[in-house]
Amino acid sequence: KKTFFSLKDRIKQAKKITKKNKNIEVIYLDDIIGSSRSIKIIQYVLKNKKLKDLYFIVGSDILFKFHKWHSWKRIVKLVKLVVFSRKGYDRNSKESTVVKYLNKNNITFIKNKPIKISSTTLRKKMIRSN
């Protein structure tokens, strides 16, 4: 149940990966907001970053559980939900509670090529590169 990389390490890696892209800012909001709930983070970002559009990116595997998230209906009203393909989940995910609730509004399905690398393989590569 212990995380593979500490939060400090994950933030450091995210900053390292994105440092050349000036359009990406890596920030950790849980301490500032006092919550790790997605709805709280979304509300904070919308209020403090003065954004017109906010996109919430998930994999198609998440759609089956998304309706169990705290304030999920509020989340999908505040953001544009973007769903990336995950092998083995795409067909059935379109029958999820969230998709039925949204009725094709405010949701975009991305037909990306399946990613054939596991998180375990990524971790091993990151350890070798450090």
Side-chain angles (χ1 to χ4, degrees):
K1 300 291 179 179
K2 184 180 173 216
T3 59
F4 194 83
F5 289 105
S6 70
L7 176 61
K8 184 178 178 181
D9 288 336
R10 287 182 279 156
I11 292 171
K12 181 180 172 184
Q13 286 295 330
K15 286 182 178 184
K16 182 179 173 182
I17 291 167
T18 60
K19 71 180 176 185
K20 292 182 182 178
N21 189 330
K22 302 298 179 201
N23 294 319
I24 298 174
E25 178 184 9
V26 177
I27 53 177
Y28 178 68
L29 295 174
D30 293 19
D31 287 341
I32 295 168
I33 298 168
S35 175
S36 62
R37 296 218 183 253
S38 296
I39 187 62
K40 296 289 185 184
I41 293 170
I42 289 165
Q43 290 170 329
Y44 176 88
V45 169
L46 287 171
K47 179 181 176 187
N48 293 290
K49 296 295 182 179
K50 310 275 191 260
L51 301 173
K52 292 180 185 175
D53 296 315
L54 186 61
Y55 298 88
F56 196 79
I57 302 169
V58 297
S60 59
D61 56 316
I62 294 299
L63 290 182
F64 294 105
K65 300 175 192 172
F66 198 84
H67 68 282
K68 295 179 181 180
W69 287 23
H70 179 77
S71 300
W72 72 271
K73 287 182 179 179
R74 183 86 176 117
I75 291 171
V76 297
K77 286 180 183 177
L78 293 173
V79 301
K80 294 178 181 184
L81 195 60
V82 178
V83 183
F84 275 82
S85 176
R86 294 293 304 267
K87 187 175 180 178
Y89 293 95
D90 294 349
R91 187 176 302 147
N92 293 333
S93 69
K94 293 184 180 178
E95 297 299 319
S96 69
T97 302
V98 177
V99 173
K100 289 175 183 176
Y101 175 80
L102 289 173
N103 194 25
K104 298 183 184 177
N105 296 316
N106 223 28
I107 187 167
T108 301
F109 286 90
I110 305 296
K111 294 184 181 187
N112 54 293
K113 290 182 181 179
I115 299 168
K116 296 181 181 179
I117 189 167
S118 70
S119 56
T120 302
T121 303
L122 287 173
R123 288 183 198 106
K124 287 177 183 176
K125 286 185 177 190
M126 286 178 65
I127 289 169
R128 280 188 230 128
S129 69
N130 286 332

